[in-house]
Structure formats: structure tokens, C-alpha cells
Amino acid sequence: MTETAPRPTLEAVAARAGVSRATVSRVVNGAQGVRDALAERVRRAVEELGYVPNRAARSLVTRRHDAVAVVAAEPEARVFADPYFAQQLRGISKELTAHDNQLVLLLTEGREDHARVGRYLAGGHVDGALVFSLHLDDPLPGLVRSAGLPTVFGGRPGWDDGRDDVVYVDSDNRGGARDAVRHLAGLGRTRIAHITGPLDQTSAADRLAGFRDVRGDADPGLVARGDFTSGGGERAMRELLDRRPDLDAVFAANDLTAAGALRVLRERGRRVPDDVAVVGFDDMLPVAEQTDPPLTTVRQDIEEMGRLMARLLLRGLTHAAPGDGHDVADEGSRAPAGPTSGVILPTTLVHRATT
């Protein structure tokens, strides 16, 4: 039987560095008040001995767990099937990993899941939470507040509870939608339809508002409700063609919706873009470049959104309350006036073959 060598202890590091155990503890836990020369001796001893801090003991000293809850208000099947969530989680994971923090993924599908997530968040397991894909009636904001956790939201908040410390990261959904519809109008299209996302989410509501900013006088029959899925895009496209067979353009609320719409247009014998031009939203490359034909779409940097969410949360945990507006201004993005602090990332129109 192979014997395992004992793990180096704080005492061993202290002996190697020629300092007290308390000094080693302060250096290892990132506390202030240790002279540079002593701190360097401790770090050198830690490296030579291969000392690994005990996370449980460290959390007692720092009151930090180095773990962040990432809460997606969507069922498991949706999160793991939609490339949007993969890109956002990639950005979050990269930022947390760079700062030696663990990602704890929590998904919600029903009332029981909300209760479970609420208990976990209140249980003192994580230092903060990143919450995204919220719906307007979602109890998650209240659960996070009850847990007393610093939180950054993905997407513009759609609620008003009188609090002034809401921090969020979003894309310019309304402006991107305006660009998409103006592009279609500039091509001479006059009967432009819109397939929305789920309108209990602010991103979908903002994209519909952007459509109406440009086509405020459009026939209500040219708007059909989708759900950010390809199946929803198919259903909405059939509905639109049945109501308005003369439509000549479609702005879809996201790329998956556009992919579903393209399939139905092909089934109905409509040539894209000759008969009907199509624009999506997101520029998710696994989708937008593989549709037939490749999709013109509004690009938002989904991975960057995730990275900034994590960065703002970690910065707030380290330095100040997350609601400090200076956190937003430092990123060089537009911050809306008002009590909330938001980073709004720009969008760009990417031209491909569907227009």
C-alpha cells in the first residue's frame, strides 16, 4: 500500500519562512499589514512546500467562499439546448476562473425549484449571485434580496420595487431592433413583419419597441408572438403567412426564431431574400452561419455580457457595493440615468444572404 505524504501545514510554512503562523495566515488570506519582504518570504515558502490553503478554514477568516451562484430562470432542457446560454455561461466561467472562483449553476423550472434555489442562496454557500433570463413575474429577485446576496442581473430589470441598488448588464436591444427594421425598409420592403420573443422578458419587449419605433403605423397583423425558439419561429411564421401572405420582410426576435421562420418560408415556396427578406438578432454563429441562406442578424456580444456580469460582481465583493455607478462608467459603456446601474453593450448589424 502506497503511503500518502502529509499535506504541508501553516506551521510548516511559518517554520520555512521564519515567521509566525499568524503572519502566514494573513498573507495566505490576502489580509493587509504584512511588510513586503515578509510577505515575499511566505509566498516563496508556500511555493516550495506546495502548501494549499484549506478553503473551509480560509472562509472562516475571510468570510468568503470564492463561489458564485449563476441562476438561470429557465428549465434545464432550454439552457443546455440554446447556444445563447452556452455563450453567456462561457463568459461568466472565464471571468470567475481567472479570479479563482467556483461557478455554481442553479436552474429553475417551477415553484419547487424556486424554493430550492432560495434555500440554497440563503444558506451561506456562495458570495454572490448572477441571475439572468428573468421573466416579469419571476420570484427570483425577491429570493435573492431575502438572501442578502450581492447580485448582478443579466438583462434590463423589468420590475420596480423601490430599491436603488440594482446592477445589470444588457445589450442595446431597442437600438439593435431599430437598425434591423431600418435596414429592411432601406431595401424597399414595405410589409415588414415581426416575430417577437416572450414578451414577459424585457429583451423581447425592447425589441418589439424598437420595431414599433420604425414601423409604428404597421398593421397589427404583421406582428406574431414567438418564444425565442425555432419551433416558436415556425408557428409564428405560419400564422403571419396565413394572415398576410403579401408580407415581404421579417424581423425575428432572435436567430433561433429566424431559423424556424426560414424553414417555413422554404416550405411555402417563398424565396429568401427575393420574395421575403429576413433579419435575426444575436449573431449566434452556430445558428446564423448555418441557416439556408446564411442569416443577416444583429450582433450582440453574449460572451462579453457574461464576463462583465461576473466582473461587476467580483469588483463589488472586493471593493464596494455592487450598485456603485462608477463600476459601470469604468467599462466605457452607456449607463442610463436613474437609480439602477446598467452596462448597455452596443449592437451591430451583420449582413449575410437573407437580405
Side-chain angles (χ1 to χ4, degrees):
M1 181 177 179
T2 303
E3 292 187 3
T4 302
R7 293 177 58 182
T9 62
L10 274 178
E11 289 77 10
V13 174
R16 174 67 67 93
V19 299
S20 69
R21 184 184 188 279
T23 297
V24 174
S25 179
R26 286 199 295 272
V27 174
V28 167
N29 292 311
Q32 302 298 313
V34 179
R35 295 197 309 274
D36 290 345
L38 289 182
E40 181 57 32
R41 278 160 53 186
V42 171
R43 286 190 285 267
R44 189 162 52 245
V46 165
E47 184 176 349
E48 291 171 354
L49 293 174
Y51 172 74
V52 178
N54 182 298
R55 278 191 176 272
R58 183 172 183 267
S59 67
L60 290 175
V61 176
T62 64
R63 299 186 182 277
R64 288 279 299 273
H65 302 278
D66 293 331
V68 170
V70 178
V71 188
E74 298 289 351
E76 179 179 298
R78 173 83 188 279
V79 170
F80 291 112
D82 190 332
Y84 177 93
F85 296 109
Q87 291 185 34
Q88 193 162 39
L89 287 169
R90 186 183 305 123
I92 291 171
S93 179
K94 284 181 177 179
E95 191 69 20
L96 293 181
T97 299
H99 293 85
D100 199 22
N101 274 253
Q102 302 301 311
L103 184 159
V104 181
L105 180 61
L106 305 172
L107 307 177
T108 63
E109 187 164 5
R111 186 166 298 175
E112 291 182 0
D113 289 322
H114 287 110
R116 171 182 55 81
V117 168
R119 288 193 301 270
Y120 184 87
L121 295 177
H125 305 290
V126 294
D127 300 315
L130 302 171
V131 182
F132 58 86
S133 201
L134 285 171
H135 300 260
L136 293 183
D137 60 350
D138 205 301
L140 278 173
L143 292 173
V144 174
R145 292 202 186 285
S146 297
L149 284 174
T151 304
V152 175
F153 293 94
R156 180 178 64 81
W159 67 92
D160 182 9
D161 57 5
R163 296 288 293 265
D164 60 357
D165 57 352
V166 178
V167 183
Y168 69 93
V169 177
D170 203 357
S171 291
D172 186 8
N173 292 295
R174 189 166 184 164
R178 285 196 295 262
D179 290 343
V181 181
R182 285 171 180 154
H183 172 63
L184 291 169
L187 297 174
R189 309 296 169 135
T190 59
R191 296 175 296 281
I192 303 171
H194 178 43
I195 302 177
T196 77
L199 294 177
D200 63 345
Q201 291 188 294
T202 56
S203 58
D206 287 347
R207 292 170 199 179
L208 174 59
F211 171 81
R212 287 175 171 162
D213 287 343
V214 182
R215 308 293 292 181
D217 58 348
D219 181 347
L222 285 169
V223 176
R225 185 160 180 168
D227 58 5
F228 282 158
T229 70
S230 59
E234 290 179 359
R235 290 189 296 273
M237 191 70 251
R238 291 190 181 98
E239 178 184 332
L240 285 167
L241 288 172
D242 289 344
R243 282 203 307 250
R244 290 296 306 268
D246 60 338
L247 65 84
D248 59 7
V250 177
F251 166 51
N254 75 344
D255 291 350
L256 287 175
T257 298
L262 286 169
R263 285 195 291 271
V264 171
L265 288 168
R266 187 165 53 250
E267 289 171 3
R268 296 284 185 96
R270 304 300 175 90
R271 297 169 300 162
V272 176
D274 302 70
D275 300 325
V276 181
V278 178
V279 178
F281 201 112
D282 285 340
D283 195 29
M284 295 188 296
L285 296 185
V287 179
E289 291 185 340
Q290 295 176 18
T291 58
D292 182 19
L295 182 65
T296 295
T297 185
V298 177
R299 174 181 292 163
Q300 60 171 334
D301 196 334
I302 302 167
E303 185 172 322
E304 178 71 358
M305 287 175 62
R307 189 186 67 80
L308 282 178
M309 286 174 65
R311 174 177 288 186
L312 288 174
L313 180 67
L314 294 175
R315 186 181 301 176
L317 291 172
T318 302
H319 298 296
D324 182 0
H326 295 296
D327 285 346
V328 174
D330 289 347
E331 298 299 338
S333 301
R334 296 195 295 110
T340 59
S341 297
V343 176
I344 307 296
L345 296 178
T347 59
T348 56
L349 187 68
V350 179
H351 297 262
R352 295 194 180 94
T354 57
T355 61

